[in-house]
Every structure is written in structure tokens, then in C-alpha cells.
Amino acid sequence: MDLEPVIGLEVHAQLLTDSKIFCSCSTHFGANPNHHTCPVCLGMPGILPVLNRKVVEYALKMAVATNCSINRKNYFARKNYFYPDLPKGYQISQYALPLAEHGYLEIETEEGKKKIGITRIHMEEDAGKLVHDESQPVSYVDFNRTGVPLIEIVSEPDIRSAEEAVQYLKALRDILVYLEICDGNMEEGSFRCDANVSLRPRGQKEFGTRTELKNMNSFRHVQRALEYEIKRQMFIIESGSEVVQETRLWDESQGVTYAMRGKEEAHDYRYFPDPDLVAVFVDDAWIEQIKSSLPELPAAKKARFMSEYGLSPYDAGVITAEKALADYFETCANLCGQPKTVANWIMGDLLKLLNEDRRPITECPVKPAYLAEIIQLIGDGTISGKIAKEILSEVYKTGTAPRTIIEKKGLVQISDMEAIARVVEEVISNHPEQVAQYRSGKEKVFGFFVGQVMKETQGKANPKLVNDLLREKLKA
Amino acid sequence: MKITEKEVIYVAHLARLELTEEEVGKFTTQLNDILLYMEKLNQVNTENVEPMSHAITLSNAFRDDCVEESLHHTLSLSNAPDAHGDFFRVPRVID
Amino acid sequence: MELYELTIHELQEKLKRREVCAREILDSVFYRIGAVEEKIHAYISLMRETAYMQAEEADRHLSAGEGTEIMGIPIALKDILCTKGFPTTCGSRILENFIPPYDATVVEKLKAAGAVFVGKANMDEFAMGSSTETSYFGITRNPWNLERIPGGSSGGSAAAVAAHECIAALGSDTGGSIRQPAALCGVVGLKPTYGRVSRFGLIAFASSLDQIGPITKDVEDCAILMKYIAGYDPKESTSVPEPVPDYRQFLRRDIKGWKIGVPREYFIEGIDPEVERVVKGAISLLEREGAEVVEISLPHTPYCVATYYIIAPAEASSNLARYDGVKYGFRSPDGKDLLEMYKKTRSQGFGDEVKRRIIIGTYVLSAGYYEAYYKKASQVRALIRRDFDEAFSRVDVILTPTTPTAAFRLGEKRDDPIQMYLSDIFTISANLAGIPGISVPGGFTADGLPVGIQFLANHFQEGKLIQAASALEQLLISDKRRPSE
């Protein structure tokens, strides 16, 4: 049977506002339980919600960045259900008329670029956190997180593989981070994903029965869970049975999805327009202002880096993965005019240093100007490539300018032909045995001579010159 | 539309209410009377009428993204039927 | 006359002239409470201690020559208004021991103006009722006849004002809960335009219908209180930034040439002939004063009750979901797991009427029924509002009876929900349309029970209500009966 997977993803992204969506409590993570609460987010009797304008702004940014059409008048609705982490017994969300609809973003697949549709983006409030007691049949509720603003981004069921799903999620996450409206961290819960998965015979229009997957806490989980679920459904269908519509949780330790225990009620959320809130009206001026405030988005930046700086798709991808890194690269490349070299240095030595330290590029002691300087100094022969690596480490450790370090340590490359020639001659005359070996055809011995010259010059000799001179003088 | 006892029990469950058998019977009768009375509304022609959810036509009632001091956590917990340290404690959810 | 029998404006005069002090006024009110409260039971709780502190504070300001029109005046607050540090029960077991850590905005405003809070007035549970018979804390009796209801849901507030157990009170009105008890208790009650008075701290029943308003002995007191409680509140998204006039300017003004609309649909249903007589009497008086009575039509009147009883319970079912025993209020000790805890808490914590409305509300919002009920009702609501827009393009105010009958007997309608709902028939439309309405005493039935006259005006035209009500009050001033002690 030729079955194709049909996948839709639902993402919840926590917005980086300072205060909550409907009250002035702080959204900042890490406070002691119930220390960031007030009568409003606790759902006490008589309280009322007032919308944080920044939430609308951030949601609009995402909507514009993903080519959505904005509903000029949109409304909040109540989603009614009972759960201890939901203090009012309803979640304020958007239902019939959400902020934005009918958008898309592009992902790279083997067959080229593919558009994944975005059905809708809407604003809503987060719920609290429930912690279960290990030994007793009780749970503990912390309402710090209730009222933290979320946007829910629902994709069309356009995704056809686990790989595509991860591509989509990464692209979505990158945009959110670029827009500086979400920190896109799946492990910490600021970026969450649920999936709807079904299979159907290729070419068929009707959808198959779908299952909903939850509890995936990283891109890897998503990939593995989807791969597993697709296989699971395939097996069921191919053996003649039917897939059961249900919610399944991903179990990372076992590598399987399992159905949620107990009879899962179809929730009747009884949505109706929230009478405590008024319409959100977005006029042309606001949309224009949002449009003009958008930064260059990841996909566009990547494409530009490839065309303008000649970077390979892979390199451009790595460098534009993080906006700060892309900015760093661009500043540096413009300073020294050698983009490809800059890219290599960043992707090699610089990221290695940062990763060891777990430091973000924004805290890198090597300013773009410093890296540019190093590259220029190699270019004009002042230092060798090898020495440059040492200098980079030193700049990283101390934050001092390269030139200062070079002067202090006297690392200027020796490019004085005569000086090198003298050392070369000295080395040659000191090692007659090896000379004989080389002249008799042992090419490998050449390295020995190079090493010796470098040793004598504390590594500062211009390697090319050393090479040339050695070759010349060893020629008999 | 007539509401059955079964529906009343289902709706009560949705609302997390527990009714005695007597209450189910009584409520079903009363609700049917009430719902029957509401059928009057079918006499009204509401074609093309925009539903009114508000008496006012305001929009964009916003506040600035400013943090203000939260309620002191002891006050947040002061009315809790069962507070445990800084948490609200509840009987376990049965999954 | 005893101090407790006076009005806000009369007492203000005395306070200004240093004839009395706030403490004395409070003493008088508490004396009166001691004499009659046991019979009437207007209050759920008394705030004696803090009241005296407020009175002392008021006296300090007054001696320093500072004052407001309500400084030092003892006021009752319907127990639906959150009072910081003091129990607020909403007439329900489920909030029996709830102590809000915040004041309702109107409470804050009155505090800032130096008012004195006597206590929390009794009410139908969660404001659902028209007789104050559903309060978990017992019934309230009508001061004019102890075998009769005071009306509801602000029955305690109205009874307290009528019996002089406070000088004035605040109530709330979702379908008539200020105006109806005011009418049945022979006092003045005003429901402001939706969005005129902040709902922050008002325990929500039906969010798109609820409003807080004054219940007072005369129209002047009503105008005074309105000035202090009305106004934009940034804590409420549905609060309207409309400037607040000094409503006192509308008192004792001419209504010559005013067009008073009388809706023909309001005089068809089963009105008590005594009520009709009183209302028609009031109409004649106004005509003699130079007002022109215009017959108008509010064609969607027959659908108001049905519309209301879909929308209000729907919103209520959602607003009351927060009472789940998790964060505050009553929690049943009998729940073995979460689901049981929820069910037992809510079933033991709520009374029958509340449960009934929650079930109706949940039903009309549930899958499959939303379009047929809630959406339909919202559309009819728009038409009801249009009726009023049309009417107000032709008249200044509308006059109707406030209630179809005078106060009925305690227990008479308790088991007949529809009959109970129909007693709201004249007041409900104003909440649906969001327009303001006032009930002013119009006279008495042959049995000596008060009859209220209702005026309705267009949005933010409370001034017109005050003017019309004041004019009528002046005309009826001869009949100064008081409830028998």
C-alpha cells in the first residue's frame, strides 16, 4: 500500500512580554511558587481582565512575518473546562475570529522549497503548573504561569514526513526568535508542539483517521515520535485494521507512543465570546507600523548571505540560525571584506570556544572588529594562520585587541626572507642525515625540516616562505 | 426541543454538579418548561442580524506592558482550602 | 425625627452645621439595626468595628473643614461587592468564609470619599433571584409587610434603606435586581448604563448585563451617590470613558414639553390592577405638569424574558466555574479524588436556583445547541436594543411599571421558576439593551404595599432619569407614608 503521512502541527509559543496578558504580574521564570500572582490571574471573584497591548503587537509581528491575513476586528472567547491549573474554570483564548489566518512559511526539502500553510494564529493565556506528589494522591498547583501570554500557531495538514515537521518547527522557531518575541526553547516549555497524524492512500483526498500526539519536548522527540506513529499506523492499516482516533503521549524512554489512560472525553468547550473583553481592532496604520518594524527574517537573510557573500547553503544556514550570530558575521565580513574566511573562522574556532564555555555569541569577548583584524593580519602576512589561532584564543580569554597581544608577545610573523634563509641554512647544516634522506627520496622528512625551522623561530616564521626556501635549499 | 434526564445528567457532569435522582427528575421537568418557553424566540426573524454580545461598541481597551507588584503570596494563599507551603494542594487527578 | 430616618443630603447639612457628628449618625443607625434587624434580616454581616473607625476618620476631616457629600454617611453594601479584609459571601455557602484581599473599585471610591460602611447586605445567592429567598444566610423580609418578599436580588439593600437600617445602599442589577426590590420596598433604585460604573470587584453573575447602582430614600440621594461611583476604570475593559456630570443639576427641573414614551406592550401582560392604577395615576400627574405622553411600541418585548434567560445563565455558568474548591471558598471534605471534590464542593456549595441556572447555561452553550439558543438570543438582543434606539429617537424617557405586581408572599413563587422569572418582565429589557433605568416610588396598593414607577433613558442619559424621577417625586410628595415599625 502506498500510504502517505498527513501531519498538522499545533505550536504554543510563550511571548516575551514583561507582564502577563491580562494583569500586571511579572512573566519572568523562576520565582517561588505563587509569588507572581494577583487576584486577576488567580481568578478570584469579581476580577476582570485587561489586555496587554504588547501581546497584540507581538502576535501581529508573527502574523505578518508568516504572511497571514489579519482579521481587522478579532475577539476573545472563553474555552470552558475544569482543571486545577485553570483558575477561572475557563481559558481566555480566541475562537471564531482569531487575530490572523491563512498564512504560510517555506521549508527546504529534498525536492526543493515547500510551502507549509498556517491555518491560524491566535492569542491566549497560559495555565498554571501542576506537580504530582510521588507518594500521596495529591497534586500541587503553582499559578505563576497562569496568564503568561501565548500565541497558538496551527499549521495546515501540509506536512508529509517527520523530517518536514522538524524543518517546519525549526523555521517557525527561528522566526519567533528573530522577531524577539519568544525564546523558542522546547526543553523549557516556551515553545511547545502537539501533532495530528494520519495516513491515507497517496492520491486520496479524504483524510484518514488521525491521532493527536503530545508530550514531545524537543525537536528530536518530535521526529522520533512522528516516525514511530507513522510506522504504527502503517502497520495497523496494512494488517487490515482501523486506526483509533485518540490522544497518544510520546514516551521517550521506551521510544513509543501510548494512548492516554482512561476514556478520553471529547471536550465540549462551550466557546462563546468573552463578555469581559472588547474587540481588538487592527487598522492599516498599525499593520504598516508592524511591517516596517520587522527585521530581515531568517530565510531572507540566509538567501542574501548566499548571494551577497557567496556562502554555501550549509554555512549560510548555520550562521543565520541565530540572529545575533548573523549580525556578528555581517559586521565582521564588512570590516575585513573576506566573508568566506570569516564564516570559516566563526564556524570553526570561534563557535568551538563559545560552545565549550556555553556562552552565547552576544557575550563573545572577541568583538567582530577583533576577528576582522586577525583575518586582515593574516592576509597581509603579519602573522601566520597557526599563530592566528593562538591569538584568537588569547583575545577570547582576555578581551584585548589582537594587535596588543601580538606586540606584547612579539608574535609578528617573520617574513624577512633573509632571516628565514639564515635559519633554514642553519637547520640544514645541523641535520646532514635528514638532508641525505630527503635527497634520496624520502619526501616525509620535509616535515621534519619545517618543524625545526618553526621551532627555531618560535613558530613565527611565515610558513610559505619557509616552505619555499627549504625546498630551494634542499635541492642540492 | 426537549431535554432528557440523560442529557441533564451529562450537562450536570460538564458543569461538575452532582444531582440526586430526585433532583434530576425535578430539574428535567423544570428545564423542559423553561426551554419550551424559550422556543418563543423561533418566532423572531433574525436573518442578517449581527449577534450582540456587548451593549457597548468599544474596542482596544489596552494596558501597557508594565510589571506591578504581585499580591503577596501569603495573601494569594490566604483563602486556600488546603495550602501546603507555597502551593495550593488538591486531590490527585485520576488520569 | 431620628437621625437614621434622614437622607444623605439632610445629614450632610447637619454635619456641615456641626449639629451632629458622623459618630452620632452611626450610633443612630446601629440603634435602629438593634431594634428591627432581627425581624427584617437585611444584613448578612455587620462591619461595626471598621464603621466606627471610618466614622471617627470622617469626623476628623469634617472638623478640619474638609468634606464630601457622602462623608460620614452610613452605607450598606450588597454582599456581592468585594470588601478588602472583610468576608464577602455573595449570599452563598460556597463563599461563606471568603475574605477578598482587594476592594471593589466602587468600594474604594466610596472609602476615599469618606463614606462609612455599615455592613454587607443580604441577597439572592449569586444575585440569581427576585425575592432574596435563595440566600444561604436566610431570607429578608419586606419592612412594609413582614410576610412579603423585599424583592431581589438586592433585597437586603432595599430593605435596609426602607427600614432605615442604613442611610443608603449599593446594590447590583443584572435583570432588575436593583429596581425591582426598590419598587417593592418603596425606595429609589437606579441601574446605570452598562459601562458607567466599574464592575471590578463586583462578583460576576452575567458579565454583559451586570451593573452596580445606588438604592436610596430619595432621588437627590441617588444623584449624589451616582456622582461618586460612576466613572471610567482602567481595571475594567468594558468601562466607558464617558465624563461624569454632577447629577444633582438634574433635580427639581422642569419637564414641560418632555415626551414620555409609554410602551403599549408593557400594559398587556398580567399586571396587577392596583399597580396599573398607580402607574396611570403617575402618568396623569406628569401630563398635568406639561409632559407629553406618547404611545410607543417596543415590539420585541414578549421575547425579553426568554432572551435574558438564555444569555444570563450562559454567562453565569462560565462565571461560576471558578468556584471549584481549589483556590478559595468552600471545599467539600467528602471528595476522594479531584472529580469528586469538584462535584461535591459545587453541589453542596451552591443552592438550587444557582444549580438550575448553571445547568441551563451549560446546556445552551453546549455543542449542538449554541446556534439555536445562545446565538439566537444574542441576535434577538440586538433587535431589542434597536427597539429602544428607535423609541428614544422619538421620546426623552420611557415610563413603565417597575414590576407587574406588588410584593408577593414569602414562599409563594419559590417552586415556580417561570413565574419567578416573569416578575422581571419590565426590568430585564434595560439590561439587555444596556440602557439605564430608575425605579421611583409611585404610590401604594390598596393593601398598603409600595408600587414603583420605572423610567428608562438612552445610554448615558442618567441625567434624564434623575430629572424625570425628581419631577415625579415632587408631585407625589404629599404621600409621605413610612413602613410600620
Side-chain angles (χ1 to χ4, degrees), chain A residues 253-357:
Chain A
S253 56
Q254 307 275 20
V256 299
T257 63
Y258 63 94
M260 277 179 72
R261 256 186 309 150
K263 184 160 170 263
E264 230 252 332
E265 306 174 334
H267 285 284
D268 187 345
Y269 292 120
R270 290 158 277 132
Y271 286 99
F272 71 101
D274 193 328
D276 287 330
L277 290 164
V278 295
V280 175
F281 176 59
V282 183
D283 60 13
D284 288 340
W286 199 354
I287 295 187
E288 269 319 302
Q289 186 232 314
I290 298 282
K291 279 198 178 136
S292 58
S293 76
L294 288 191
E296 186 182 29
L297 293 175
K301 202 184 277 287
K302 180 178 170 190
R304 183 169 67 80
F305 279 18
M306 282 163 61
S307 66
E308 204 174 306
Y309 299 115
L311 298 187
S312 72
Y314 177 77
D315 288 2
V318 172
I319 289 186
T320 58
E322 206 188 312
K323 182 162 178 289
L325 190 62
D327 290 344
Y328 184 101
F329 162 82
E330 196 148 30
T331 310
C332 190
N334 284 326
L335 282 171
C336 70
Q338 298 181 56
K340 285 200 181 150
T341 315
V342 175
N344 288 335
W345 275 97
I346 289 178
M347 286 170 54
D349 292 53
L350 194 63
L351 281 180
K352 181 159 173 281
L353 287 166
L354 288 168
N355 286 337
E356 266 163 17
D357 257 4

Side-chain angles (χ1 to χ4, degrees), chain A residues 43 45-46 49 78 80 87 268 276, chain C residues 102 199 201 237 318-319 327-328 367:
Chain A
R78 294 190 185 178
N80 299 279
D268 187 345
D276 287 330
Chain C
Y102 49 93
R199 291 187 297 119
S237 295
S318 179
N319 283 328
K327 315 153 301 274
Y328 45 76

Side-chain angles (χ1 to χ4, degrees), chain A residues 409-434:
Chain A
K409 297 203 171 180
L411 294 170
V412 176
Q413 187 168 245
I414 300 170
S415 293
D416 180 347
M417 286 263 285
E418 284 179 29
I420 297 179
R422 260 179 267 129
V423 177
V424 165
E425 277 158 20
E426 204 183 310
V427 163
I428 287 176
S429 56
N430 287 341
H431 301 279
E433 228 184 270
Q434 284 81 349

Side-chain angles (χ1 to χ4, degrees), chain A residues 110-155:
Chain A
E110 278 164 9
E111 289 91 41
K113 280 210 218 288
K114 180 173 173 179
K115 262 193 189 154
I116 306 290
I118 288 177
T119 315
R120 53 185 280 150
I121 296 181
H122 70 250
M123 303 174 279
E124 60 184 32
E125 53 177 354
D126 209 345
K129 272 217 178 88
L130 210 56
V131 179
H132 301 302
D133 191 303
E134 297 297 306
S135 44
Q136 295 174 72
V138 293
S139 305
Y140 303 100
V141 196
D142 173 11
F143 291 109
N144 281 351
R145 206 181 62 174
T146 42
V148 169
L150 299 174
I151 42 173
E152 180 172 328
I153 305 165
V154 181
S155 83

Side-chain angles (χ1 to χ4, degrees), chain A residues 15-39:
Chain A
L15 298 178
L16 290 172
T17 56
D18 289 327
S19 64
K20 294 185 178 182
I21 186 172
F22 295 118
C23 71
S24 308
C25 287
S26 166
T27 52
H28 294 180
F29 191 77
N32 283 337
N34 293 304
H35 277 60
H36 279 172
T37 57
C38 75

Side-chain angles (χ1 to χ4, degrees), chain A residues 162-324:
Chain A
E163 180 56 47
E164 279 183 16
V166 174
Q167 286 301 313
Y168 168 82
L169 287 175
K170 285 190 170 157
L172 203 68
R173 198 260 321 256
D174 286 349
I175 297 176
L176 288 167
V177 174
Y178 259 61
L179 294 174
E180 294 176 358
I181 62 178
C182 172
D183 59 30
N185 192 321
M186 270 194 97
E187 284 81 355
E188 279 178 13
S190 63
F191 183 85
R192 304 171 212 156
C193 172
D194 295 332
N196 287 309
V197 188
S198 64
L199 298 179
R200 67 181 173 193
R202 206 171 294 273
Q204 181 181 292
K205 273 215 194 79
E206 292 81 39
F207 293 125
T209 310
R210 65 164 198 240
T211 59
E212 192 185 352
L213 298 188
K214 287 178 180 287
N215 199 40
M216 301 167 290
N217 302 323
S218 69
F219 291 146
R220 205 180 102 89
H221 285 202
V222 172
Q223 178 135 15
R224 293 188 66 208
L226 287 172
E227 279 168 357
Y228 174 85
E229 183 60 15
I230 290 169
K231 277 207 200 86
R232 186 190 77 88
Q233 287 193 15
M234 208 167 277
F235 179 76
I236 290 174
I237 295 174
E238 280 171 355
S239 53
S241 304
E242 280 183 18
V243 172
V244 175
Q245 182 174 341
E246 60 193 353
T247 301
R248 299 178 71 84
L249 303 176
W250 170 246
D251 184 335
E252 173 67 17
S253 56
Q254 307 275 20
V256 299
T257 63
Y258 63 94
M260 277 179 72
R261 256 186 309 150
K263 184 160 170 263
E264 230 252 332
E265 306 174 334
H267 285 284
D268 187 345
Y269 292 120
R270 290 158 277 132
Y271 286 99
F272 71 101
D274 193 328
D276 287 330
L277 290 164
V278 295
V280 175
F281 176 59
V282 183
D283 60 13
D284 288 340
W286 199 354
I287 295 187
E288 269 319 302
Q289 186 232 314
I290 298 282
K291 279 198 178 136
S292 58
S293 76
L294 288 191
E296 186 182 29
L297 293 175
K301 202 184 277 287
K302 180 178 170 190
R304 183 169 67 80
F305 279 18
M306 282 163 61
S307 66
E308 204 174 306
Y309 299 115
L311 298 187
S312 72
Y314 177 77
D315 288 2
V318 172
I319 289 186
T320 58
E322 206 188 312
K323 182 162 178 289

